[in-house]
Amino acid sequence: MTDILDELQWRGLLAQHTDLEALREHLNAGPVTFYCGYDPTAPSLHHGHLVQLIVMRHLQLAGHRPLALVGGATGQIGDPRQSGERQLQSTDVVKGWADRLHSQISKFLDFEGPAAATMVNNLDWTQEMSAIDLLRTIGKYFRVGTMLNKDIVARRIASDEGISYTEFSYQVLQANDFLELYRRNGCTLETGGNDQWGNMVGGVDLIRKVEGVDTHVMTTPIITKADGTKFGKSEGGAIWLDPEMMTPYAFYQFWLQVADDDVVRFLKIFTFKSREEIEALAVEVAQRPHQRAAQKALAASVTELVHGADQLQRVLAATDALWGGGDIRDLDEATLAAATAGLPRASLSIGESTVADALVALGFEKGKTAARRTISSGGASINNVKVEDPEAVLGHDDVLAGGLALIRKGRKNLAVLELS
């Protein structure tokens, strides 16, 4: 089997780390218990968290034991951001978000077998500590000068807004998490994003000072596009993993639109496809980019990973029905609504309005004369069925799930009618 660190490096999932050879020996010596933390600062995980979940899964498949930490305590604080102070949420909100993250994370790891994963919540040990306990037993090991020199802290201090003691103390709490997991679970490795490097190294230093033991950390790079810009924004905002915040159809379409310059690298990062499969797709990108085979493989793999095989099949059916030869009437209301959410739309009445009226209402034609001419020439369809009568009236048979109908002019102009 390929060395796990070599595999992560090949996939572009390894950035900073403690002593590489020592880490390699540690991982090769036997099953290692490791952890990654996820703070409930929003109701859902996003694509950045997905990178960490994939790293955890790679390590688990290599025989190592994951601890997935939900930050019920640190989520009430929030790690410092470059853009300024976080808005603190109520305890009840954080708890609700923590429960949602717990459910999301659970889908990515195995909780049985020799490398069984364990879910932990840092509220379990943090809430047991008094302020005196924290200052006496943990705080005394931290030097303010070192804390001030942390990159994100230094930037915030230099900003007009500064940084509160609340967010400044975050690094102490995260370091204490590593110490507690070492004591409770024998955890000797922390993984996370590159922006967490300073906090993670703080945990290594704390364990060395308190327990006299060397532990390890490793980070993933911040994912960027080929042009150097940040990756991970759709027209609607962040790439959320929760289907209520980003539909599986929209999620699939986001990955389908990845540029040729990025797609092979993202196949390595966001999928578990083998080297041979990815190399074959790289050839497709180079020789037949118009077929977008790599993008289709990426979108299908990530959508199935996050939303499951059943949702992927619904998404593929919707994509085929809208842009291929599939039957639009096979789509359920939720899938159809998600697939058409970004299309132009208008509202018309059944039995009173014609297809020509629809073409005008949707802005496809300026007047009914031009609309009738388009229909007569075979240039209009409703629900993927060509309309032949220029005076055709919209009827009950034209209504799809959710009271919708699809009107198409030519091949590329597609819109939604809301029929009543």
Side-chain angles (χ1 to χ4, degrees), residues 251-264 266-267 271 273 281-282 284-286 288-303 312 316:
F251 186 85
Y252 175 88
Q253 292 297 322
F254 170 81
W255 296 99
L256 194 61
Q257 300 307 315
V258 165
D260 290 344
D261 290 342
D262 294 316
V263 66
V264 173
F266 291 168
L267 279 165
T271 80
K273 290 188 177 296
L281 288 167
E284 289 292 321
V285 174
R288 291 171 287 275
H290 61 283
Q291 294 186 1
R292 301 187 70 77
Q295 281 87 348
K296 292 175 183 177
L298 173 66
S301 293
V302 183
T303 302
L312 172 61
L316 293 175

Side-chain angles (χ1 to χ4, degrees), residues 119-290:
M119 296 291 299
V120 294
N121 189 328
N122 59 18
L123 186 63
D124 292 343
W125 54 82
T126 306
Q127 67 182 350
E128 296 175 355
M129 300 181 71
S130 68
I132 295 297
D133 291 336
L134 180 65
L135 294 173
R136 281 179 57 86
T137 63
I138 303 300
K140 68 178 181 179
Y141 293 105
F142 287 81
R143 295 295 172 262
V144 173
T146 303
M147 296 173 71
L148 291 172
N149 286 331
K150 297 289 174 65
D151 183 55
I152 188 65
V153 173
R155 291 185 190 181
R156 284 284 298 279
I157 290 175
S159 69
D160 292 337
E161 187 175 0
I163 186 171
S164 69
Y165 179 75
T166 298
E167 290 195 1
F168 180 65
S169 68
Y170 183 92
Q171 55 188 299
V172 177
L173 296 179
Q174 183 168 334
N176 185 55
D177 288 344
F178 199 173
L179 175 61
E180 282 294 328
L181 291 175
Y182 169 77
R183 288 171 167 171
R184 293 169 181 240
N185 302 88
C187 179
T188 54
L189 170 64
E190 180 182 2
T191 66
N194 220 14
D195 57 339
Q196 291 294 310
W197 173 257
N199 293 338
M200 294 164 69
V201 171
V204 171
D205 292 340
L206 179 62
I207 294 172
R208 183 183 299 116
K209 291 174 182 177
V210 175
E211 301 289 345
V213 173
D214 289 331
T215 52
H216 303 273
V217 297
M218 63 183 189
T219 66
T220 58
I222 303 302
I223 308 302
T224 59
K225 294 186 284 189
D227 60 8
T229 58
K230 192 172 182 180
F231 170 75
K233 288 289 182 181
S234 69
E235 293 183 3
I239 311 304
W240 300 110
L241 307 190
D242 189 324
E244 295 179 4
M245 297 177 67
M246 186 176 195
T247 66
Y249 181 86
F251 186 85
Y252 175 88
Q253 292 297 322
F254 170 81
W255 296 99
L256 194 61
Q257 300 307 315
V258 165
D260 290 344
D261 290 342
D262 294 316
V263 66
V264 173
R265 184 162 52 92
F266 291 168
L267 279 165
K268 294 178 181 179
I269 292 171
F270 290 102
T271 80
F272 290 88
K273 290 188 177 296
S274 68
R275 297 190 184 206
E276 292 76 18
E277 290 175 301
I278 293 174
E279 288 166 0
L281 288 167
V283 172
E284 289 292 321
V285 174
Q287 297 181 356
R288 291 171 287 275
H290 61 283

